[in-house]
Amino acid sequence: MGSVSASAPATSPPLPSRRGSVSAAAPTVSSPLSSPRFLSAGYFRVTSRSPDWTRRARVFVSAMSNEIVPMSAPCEAPATSRNIEGAGSAKQQLSRLVKESLDSLFPDEVQPIVAACQAKFGDYQCNNAMVIWSQLKGKTTQFKNPSSIGQAIAKNLPESEMIESSSVAGPGFVNIKFSNKWISKHIQNMLVNGIEQWAPILSVRKAVVDFSSPNIAKEMHVGHLRSTIMGDTLARMLEFSNVEVLRRNHVGDWGTQFGMLIEYLFEQFPNWEDAGDQAIGDLQAFYKASKKKFDDDPDFKTRAQQAVVKLQSGEDKYRHAWQNICEISRKEFDLVYQRLKVQLEEKGESFYNPYIRGILEEFERNNLIKESEGARVVEIDGYDIPLIVVKKDGGYNYASTDLACLWYRLTEEKAEWIIYITDVGQQQHFDMFFSAARLIGWLPASKDAYPKASHVGLGLVLGSDGKRFRTRSSEVVRLVELLDEAKNRSKAELIKRLEDNGKITDWTDAELESTAEAVGYGAIKYADLKNNRLTNYTFSFDQMLNDKGNTAVYLLYAHARICSIINKSSKDIEEFKKASTCMSWKINTGIGKIVLDHVDERALGLHLIQFAEIVEEACSNLLPNVLCEYLYNLSEMFTRFYTSCQVIGSEQQESRLLLCEATAIVMRKCFLLLGITPVYRI
């Protein structure tokens, strides 16, 4: 795992660090919006997964049919409201039926309002009645009140195998209960054709997810943890939803700090090219030493500033040194990405350098740039301060780089949704530069319309003292060391558990190592992702590695226990799954049929089929904690099912084993979407 690097062109005008700016004036670029040339950076290429659009049109369970259509079935003609009835989440399928009812009653376009409801009322609820009534007040209408509207909606629902019953409560709430047969068929289809059948249908086809984004020449620390984990999970969920995702690592690979680093490299190691990586050694220590000299030695500071100019003018010696420093940083970053199994394609700040001048000229042509105290700014309504795009000294800054980057992603990469993941402290910056993009017409006026840009703000990672997480010496915590400690603690606990139950001899060293990695790294990821991303959370190994409660350890072990139940049955679960496609076999033997007669069987089955809409909600609102909550609730529901419904040796053994298998499959997909490796035994 790792990242791809797209380096800066061979000659580059000044560009700021992602966290700072440069002071040299920008030279004229003859063709600012032409494609830049690339330098090889030595990273292997990660290809974004292209969506399988044909999958969207496949009807995997027709609500009007008695047959399950396998994935091998040919793709039908363009979908209509009827032949896509079996596509999408359960909520989406029900919404289509409600839409038919609404269309038959009201001439104006009415979008269905459908949501899951409390079990005592039904499975789902249509909540359109009161909204429609408020719009009809004062007009001639056949309806007397919201309840009569609800009655009409329920009466006009098209006949469907999906719906067992409907009723109206209160001021027009239409409560709808799914048929057990339909829920069973929906699960059986997933077992036969794969969990991809439950991928939600989103309205976007191509997205950029901008995450991690460390600064070159600085090691990744715990502050980068949330962005890296959150971005990877959002990318995974979108990819599962058949969105083409460009995973972008917008590293800080340009700016004044490189003059300081290069000059210090030349001073300390005159033969630095022969010394290789050993010349720099510990990158963090090298950065601190060069920064101290920059602050303490005026002559060195002058030489460092001159080095910036030489680097930006393209002098080979300085360009080579810059590339060397960047490459050393990338190797350090990859140590983290490999552990986390995160894939990224690097397009750093330097990549967008040639586009900045042309972008600013476009703003000028539209009379959007003004002079303010020597700087050039874009005024944004609602803010007391303007968006500075060129500093007083003529240098570019964070905003000018980000505008060029956004333009490139919209125009060149044709992205429909650009998602930026940083700490919440940068919210104002993103709000302002998104507003600037709307002013010039790159983004639509409505924030909900496509193409759109979204900022995913993240809270802080805190220590036990409630302050920003650091070591005892007040240093930021290196991310590699943090991950390794999680794995080591997990391994020690696993060995102790296996020694206590006498199973240690059944495990190889490789199995111990891989399980410790899965549990240790998974524990860190889940502890972060289960929280609302906007909130701060306290980093605690003891809490995240606890095998009780809402932790990755508990959930991974729960999955392993389900696998153990299936294995102990000595039944061929794959044969049961295949049997579910053969109607005559099911009728004659009952094998392959899922029965949901017990209340806990049905509750588990209903929760399973809600997986797609949960992923849809998590994607749409950019909230992975929604998926974490679903996963934990799934584990709890399975426990209730297993406690009240005997599996092995019962008359319903085959059906209940299939429910076990379906639960394990959904849990595994949840883990994979969260970037967590499942474990199959404990």
Side-chain angles (χ1 to χ4, degrees):
M1 301 295 169
S3 62
V4 188
S5 173
S7 298
T11 58
S12 304
L15 183 72
S17 161
R18 190 170 176 103
R19 303 293 180 262
S21 62
V22 296
S23 57
T28 301
V29 181
S30 59
S31 182
L33 301 185
S34 61
S35 297
R37 290 169 287 157
F38 295 89
L39 293 173
S40 173
Y43 272 24
F44 66 89
R45 179 157 295 280
V46 179
T47 304
S48 297
R49 280 179 273 178
S50 297
D52 176 7
W53 300 113
T54 59
R55 184 182 300 147
R56 293 182 177 223
R58 293 192 179 184
V59 184
F60 55 89
V61 180
S62 172
M64 304 299 292
S65 166
N66 290 323
E67 294 298 327
I68 296 173
V69 181
M71 279 296 290
S72 57
C75 188
E76 300 295 331
T80 65
S81 62
R82 180 56 60 186
N83 67 23
I84 64 167
E85 189 172 348
S89 66
K91 180 179 176 181
Q92 287 172 329
Q93 293 182 57
L94 178 60
S95 294
R96 284 195 288 271
L97 297 177
V98 173
K99 184 69 167 63
E100 287 192 40
S101 176
L102 292 170
D103 288 346
S104 70
L105 293 168
F106 305 102
D108 296 331
E109 182 78 9
V110 179
Q111 292 303 318
I113 305 173
V114 174
C117 63
Q118 296 181 38
K120 63 181 180 180
F121 298 118
D123 298 327
Y124 283 79
Q125 195 172 75
C126 169
N127 299 321
N128 282 92
M130 291 185 69
V131 175
I132 294 172
W133 177 249
S134 68
Q135 296 170 345
L136 293 178
K137 276 188 177 180
K139 300 179 181 178
T140 302
T141 175
Q142 61 178 311
F143 302 108
K144 298 179 180 180
N145 49 45
S147 180
S148 64
I149 295 175
Q151 295 286 351
I153 294 172
K155 182 179 179 181
N156 282 274
L157 285 170
E159 185 178 347
S160 170
E161 185 186 43
M162 183 182 198
I163 299 175
E164 178 179 297
S165 63
S166 64
S167 61
V168 179
F173 299 120
V174 182
N175 298 315
I176 298 169
K177 184 178 180 181
F178 289 161
S179 73
N180 287 0
K181 180 180 179 181
W182 183 84
I183 296 174
S184 172
K185 187 180 293 185
H186 203 52
I187 296 170
Q188 287 167 209
N189 173 72
M190 183 275 290
L191 289 171
V192 173
N193 292 321
I195 190 68
E196 290 74 17
Q197 294 293 299
W198 285 2
I201 299 174
L202 303 183
S203 56
V204 61
R205 295 191 177 191
K206 189 174 186 180
V208 170
V209 181
D210 180 326
F211 65 104
S212 194
S213 304
N215 282 315
I216 293 290
K218 291 185 179 180
E219 287 193 82
M220 292 180 71
H221 54 77
V222 71
H224 296 105
L225 181 67
R226 297 202 81 175
S227 175
T228 304
I229 290 173
M230 187 70 60
D232 181 55
T233 292
L234 290 174
R236 286 170 181 263
M237 291 193 300
L238 289 166
E239 288 162 347
F240 173 65
S241 305
N242 295 312
V243 177
E244 181 184 357
V245 178
L246 306 180
R247 294 162 164 258
R248 292 289 182 256
N249 199 3
H250 188 95
V251 298
D253 65 350
W254 204 248
T256 54
Q257 77 271 25
F258 284 98
M260 174 185 78
L261 292 164
I262 291 170
E263 191 60 31
Y264 190 73
L265 176 65
F266 291 167
E267 181 181 278
Q268 296 295 314
F269 301 94
N271 299 318
W272 62 273
E273 290 181 281
D274 297 329
D277 293 359
Q278 288 73 27
I280 292 178
D282 187 326
L283 196 59
Q284 193 77 354
F286 186 85
Y287 183 91
K288 288 181 179 179
S290 63
K291 182 67 167 65
K292 185 176 187 306
K293 191 168 183 65
F294 184 87
D295 293 338
D296 297 344
D297 188 336
D299 291 337
F300 177 81
K301 183 175 183 179
T302 300
R303 295 196 303 274
Q305 291 170 337
Q306 292 170 347
V308 174
V309 177
K310 293 176 181 178
L311 170 63
Q312 293 169 351
S313 66
E315 287 193 26
D316 288 344
K317 178 182 177 182
Y318 290 85
R319 174 72 61 164
H320 187 195
W322 170 71
Q323 290 173 336
N324 183 260
I325 293 170
C326 290
E327 191 59 32
I328 292 172
S329 276
R330 293 183 185 113
K331 291 177 181 177
E332 292 294 320
F333 298 160
D334 254 6
L335 295 177
V336 172
Y337 298 143
Q338 287 167 7
R339 283 164 172 77
L340 295 175
K341 292 183 170 62
V342 169
Q343 293 182 339
L344 283 155
E345 182 179 0
E346 181 184 307
K347 273 192 171 72
E349 292 170 342
S350 61
F351 176 85
Y352 304 102
N353 169 54
Y355 302 96
I356 297 176
R357 180 179 290 279
I359 293 304
L360 297 182
E361 287 175 353
E362 183 178 347
F363 271 82
E364 288 175 338
R365 286 193 298 272
N366 286 273
N367 298 316
L368 293 174
I369 290 184
K370 297 182 178 180
E371 296 289 330
S372 176
E373 299 179 5
R376 300 168 71 193
V377 305
V378 177
E379 293 183 346
I380 307 296
D381 289 343
Y383 293 91
D384 296 332
I385 58 174
L387 182 69
I388 300 174
V389 292
V390 181
K391 294 176 60 181
K392 293 179 182 179
D393 56 17
Y396 299 138
N397 64 358
Y398 197 177
S400 49
T401 306
D402 278 343
L403 284 169
C405 176
L406 179 62
W407 177 90
Y408 184 89
R409 289 167 174 175
L410 290 168
T411 307
E412 298 297 316
E413 295 181 321
K414 309 298 183 185
E416 297 168 285
W417 194 6
I418 300 98
I419 302 164
Y420 298 81
I421 303 166
T422 73
D423 66 271
V424 73
Q426 297 188 46
Q427 184 68 56
Q428 179 173 291
H429 165 77
F430 282 97
D431 287 344
M432 291 182 72
F433 106 77
F434 291 166
S435 296
R438 292 188 185 93
L439 282 175
I440 202 167
W442 298 348
L443 297 175
S446 171
K447 295 181 180 180
D448 295 326
Y450 291 100
K452 69 177 179 178
S454 303
H455 176 238
V456 176
L458 306 174
L460 298 175
V461 182
L462 306 177
S464 57
D465 58 359
K467 299 178 181 179
R468 190 186 293 266
F469 190 45
R470 296 180 182 273
T471 63
R472 291 181 180 177
S473 59
S474 297
E475 296 287 337
V476 293
V477 180
R478 294 181 63 204
L479 199 45
V480 169
E481 294 174 356
L482 197 75
L483 294 169
D484 287 347
E485 183 174 353
K487 186 191 77 171
N488 292 337
R489 287 188 180 216
S490 172
K491 187 174 182 178
E493 181 59 35
L494 177 61
I495 290 173
K496 181 179 181 301
R497 174 190 289 265
L498 293 172
E499 287 177 341
D500 289 345
N501 62 26
K503 295 182 179 179
I504 188 67
T505 56
D506 297 337
W507 288 62
T508 66
D509 290 342
E511 288 173 328
L512 287 172
E513 189 74 8
S514 62
T515 302
E517 283 187 1
V519 175
Y521 300 158
I524 287 180
K525 290 185 177 185
Y526 190 82
D528 187 330
L529 294 168
K530 74 176 182 179
N531 298 289
N532 185 299
R533 55 179 169 75
L534 291 170
T535 62
N536 301 337
Y537 85 95
T538 301
F539 191 97
S540 168
F541 279 121
D542 290 338
Q543 291 180 12
M544 64 180 57
L545 291 170
N546 195 330
D547 61 0
K548 297 178 176 62
N550 189 10
T551 67
V553 182
Y554 168 77
L555 293 167
L556 286 167
Y557 285 0
H559 170 261
R561 282 191 289 272
I562 296 173
C563 294
S564 177
I565 293 168
I566 295 171
N567 291 335
K568 286 179 180 178
S569 72
S570 299
K571 300 294 183 180
D572 189 341
I573 199 72
E574 293 302 318
E575 286 300 317
F576 290 165
K577 287 157 68 172
K578 291 176 183 177
S580 66
T581 64
C582 179
M583 300 304 296
S584 59
W585 192 354
K586 285 193 292 184
I587 291 170
N588 295 331
T589 67
I591 294 177
K593 181 180 179 182
I594 295 176
V595 179
L596 303 174
D597 291 341
H598 192 283
V599 62
D600 290 325
E601 288 175 320
R602 190 183 190 281
L604 177 60
L606 179 64
H607 193 71
L608 285 169
I609 68 169
Q610 291 172 334
F611 168 72
E613 65 204 59
I614 292 298
V615 176
E616 179 187 5
E617 179 184 351
C619 287
S620 299
N621 297 322
L622 303 172
L623 291 172
N625 62 295
V626 172
L627 182 62
C628 294
E629 182 181 1
Y630 171 86
L631 174 59
Y632 180 68
N633 289 337
L634 176 60
S635 175
E636 295 291 279
M637 286 188 171
F638 179 83
T639 298
R640 286 196 291 272
F641 154 75
Y642 189 67
T643 300
S644 58
C645 299
Q646 179 185 347
V647 176
I648 298 176
S650 68
E651 292 183 4
Q652 300 84 13
Q653 176 175 261
E654 289 79 9
S655 169
R656 290 173 178 174
L657 282 172
L658 286 173
L659 276 177
C660 290
E661 175 72 0
T663 302
I665 289 172
V666 173
M667 289 188 77
R668 282 197 289 276
K669 179 52 70 172
C670 287
F671 288 139
L672 293 173
L673 294 180
L674 297 171
I676 297 171
T677 302
V679 298
Y680 292 82
R681 67 171 183 151
I682 54 175

